[in-house]
Amino acid sequence: TFSETVDATSVRLGVNETLPFVRLQSQAAVPPASGDAEQLFMGGSTSSLDDSTFVTISISQRDLNQLKYKTSLGTGRTNTHLFLSREFLRDMRGNDLVELVPAEAALTVVNDTVRPRLTAFELDMNTGRVRLTFSEAVTDIAVSSLSFVHAQNVTNTNVTYDLTGSFGAVGGPVVSSGHLPHAEFVLTKTDLDNIKRIDQLADSNATTFVTVTDMFAEDFAALSIVPIGDDDSLGVSVFTSDTTSPTLLSFDFDFDQSLVSLTFTEVVRANTLHSTAITFVSTPTSPTATPSYRLRSTSSVVPGSESTVVAYDDTVINVTLSVSDMDELKRIATLATRKSNTYIRVDDDAVEDMAGNGLRNSSHATLVTRYVEDSTPPQLTRWALDMDGQ
């Protein structure tokens, strides 16, 4: 409010060189007496356009977020002061404003009572990166209060997943953007694998929604976020499909139990594994130059004479070798008799991940991690006597 009518078109916001035309500050002194004094240069805001003794400044969303972020500024009359430079505006005859020194305390301060909302999110299934957009800057994000769901109005609990935790983009907790209404985090390996394991969940835009409880986040006025339930779950705004091929990390071989355990970089679909794509070699060089054996029994998820694959999708797949394959391995005296001569090569596309990406691993042989020797003594299973034999 001014002492006379002012020219609304002369109102200037922002900064002239180093001097702000308008500034909110926590102290009355100009310049603020302490370097710790909070202040906000309102450069992105707009004003009313009517000539009057009143000027209304509409604070931009960016400036408002900055103001809310500065928790020792603008929360009451004692820490809310306004500085106006002489160039801020002119009266109807072109006279500059009398500079407001010291800064004027606010007549009233209406505190923030509007709860924040989650308005959008992005998901990258290659990296596990989640980027969140809110209606305003937030703090104290609790990732475990967010759930992925298949779609709105979901009733099948088998297509939902509650997060257990997160890694920040640089290995720490959630990375927020300060006064900006954004935050991001990277899903833990466990959470990412568990989400991939569930068919029809977060495998496309159409199957990627989230819900949050009111414990998920709060703004800088300690107002909790508006919860998002199953009936109004929020759909993903940017979705990046999993296009990363799995690779073989390691394998164990229990010769005594005829069991090969394959560990992959991500969850793979058990029924896509081709056991005939696995070759045992005695050294990491070319299999043609060293003793080797390619499995011959085809894969099956049903127990029988073929190589049997454990029938569930995971990062670890167990393959029970057939009797015929084990007998052939035992015939080769310098192959798979100890850890140092037990390697495998796995052909490309020997198995697929949950998104259908084929294995990429054939460029090298992998040394066994855990090797259990054959300690089972042979047993006579049957015998016959031919009295006519010579």
Side-chain angles (χ1 to χ4, degrees):
T1 302
F2 298 92
S3 59
E4 60 178 288
T5 300
V6 296
D7 181 359
T9 62
S10 71
V11 174
R12 305 177 71 182
L13 303 174
V15 178
N16 178 16
E17 296 179 351
T18 60
L19 179 67
F21 299 123
V22 56
R23 176 176 66 207
L24 286 176
Q25 57 187 62
S26 59
Q27 299 179 0
V30 178
S34 170
D36 295 331
E38 294 282 4
Q39 50 189 316
L40 173 65
F41 304 98
M42 296 168 59
S45 306
T46 58
S47 66
S48 58
L49 298 178
D50 296 326
D51 298 335
S52 172
T53 57
F54 302 95
V55 171
T56 300
I57 298 176
S58 299
I59 302 177
S60 69
Q61 188 63 49
R62 181 182 179 87
D63 281 348
L64 186 60
N65 278 327
Q66 284 185 306
L67 180 57
K68 291 179 178 181
Y69 180 66
K70 297 175 180 289
T71 54
S72 60
L73 172 64
T75 60
R77 294 191 66 233
T78 58
N79 66 359
T80 308
H81 299 78
L82 180 68
F83 164 76
L84 299 176
S85 76
R86 58 187 301 273
E87 296 175 295
F88 172 61
L89 57 69
R90 296 185 297 272
D91 66 12
M92 302 305 294
R93 296 293 181 266
N95 297 308
D96 288 336
L97 176 71
V98 176
E99 195 165 75
L100 200 57
V101 177
E104 183 77 15
L107 181 63
T108 59
V109 174
V110 178
N111 290 321
D112 180 13
T113 59
V114 178
R115 297 170 68 183
R117 293 177 176 272
L118 177 64
T119 59
F121 77 98
E122 304 171 14
L123 174 63
D124 187 333
M125 289 300 289
N126 288 300
T127 63
R129 174 182 170 273
V130 180
R131 179 174 170 81
L132 308 166
T133 300
F134 301 90
S135 58
E136 60 179 284
V138 298
T139 184
D140 294 334
I141 296 175
V143 170
S144 58
S145 295
L146 182 146
S147 300
F148 282 92
V149 298
H150 167 78
Q152 290 182 328
N153 302 310
V154 64
T155 56
N156 185 354
T157 57
N158 291 327
V159 287
T160 67
Y161 182 75
D162 302 331
L163 295 186
T164 61
S166 73
F167 291 123
V170 291
V174 175
V175 177
S176 62
S177 300
H179 66 277
L180 300 178
H182 304 289
E184 65 179 62
F185 62 91
V186 177
L187 297 173
T188 64
K189 181 69 163 57
T190 297
D191 280 343
L192 185 59
D193 283 340
N194 284 339
I195 291 171
K196 289 180 177 181
R197 189 177 285 112
I198 303 173
D199 282 323
Q200 296 299 307
L201 179 64
D203 54 15
S204 69
N205 288 71
T207 62
T208 308
F209 293 76
V210 295
T211 62
V212 298
T213 72
D214 59 3
M215 301 294 291
F216 179 57
E218 62 181 34
D219 64 16
F220 286 91
L223 297 171
S224 62
I225 196 167
V226 175
I228 300 175
D230 292 339
D231 291 339
D232 57 350
S233 56
L234 180 66
V236 68
S237 54
V238 178
F239 179 82
T240 303
S241 300
D242 177 12
T243 57
T244 303
S245 294
T247 59
L248 179 68
L249 282 178
S250 63
F251 82 100
D252 298 335
F253 186 29
D254 188 333
F255 211 117
D256 213 34
Q257 299 296 321
S258 306
L259 182 66
V260 176
S261 298
L262 305 168
T263 300
F264 299 93
T265 51
E266 61 177 294
V267 176
V268 296
R269 201 175 291 277
N271 62 9
T272 66
L273 178 68
H274 305 290
S275 57
T276 53
I278 300 173
T279 301
F280 280 85
V281 294
S282 60
T283 69
T285 57
S286 171
T288 60
T290 61
S292 64
Y293 178 74
R294 178 182 286 271
L295 298 184
R296 298 172 184 173
S297 299
T298 57
S299 304
S300 173
V301 295
V302 179
S305 60
E306 299 174 322
S307 298
T308 303
V309 179
V310 171
Y312 59 86
D313 307 323
D314 207 340
T315 55
V316 179
I317 300 296
N318 293 324
V319 182
T320 301
L321 302 189
S322 66
V323 173
S324 60
D325 276 336
M326 288 299 298
D327 283 343
E328 290 301 319
L329 270 176
K330 291 176 181 180
R331 294 181 200 277
I332 306 174
T334 58
L335 177 62
T337 59
R338 57 185 182 274
K339 180 174 181 178
S340 61
N341 66 3
T342 306
Y343 294 78
I344 61 170
R345 289 181 180 273
V346 183
D347 296 346
D348 284 347
D349 299 322
V351 70
E352 296 178 358
D353 66 12
M354 302 301 290
N357 300 304
L359 182 76
R360 292 293 178 267
N361 203 71
S362 62
S363 62
H364 68 280
T366 301
L367 177 66
V368 67
T369 300
R370 178 177 175 270
Y371 178 84
V372 178
E373 294 182 353
D374 179 9
S375 60
T376 302
Q379 296 179 349
L380 178 67
T381 58
R382 59 183 177 177
W383 69 281
L385 173 64
D386 185 351
M387 297 296 292
D388 292 328
Q390 298 297 321

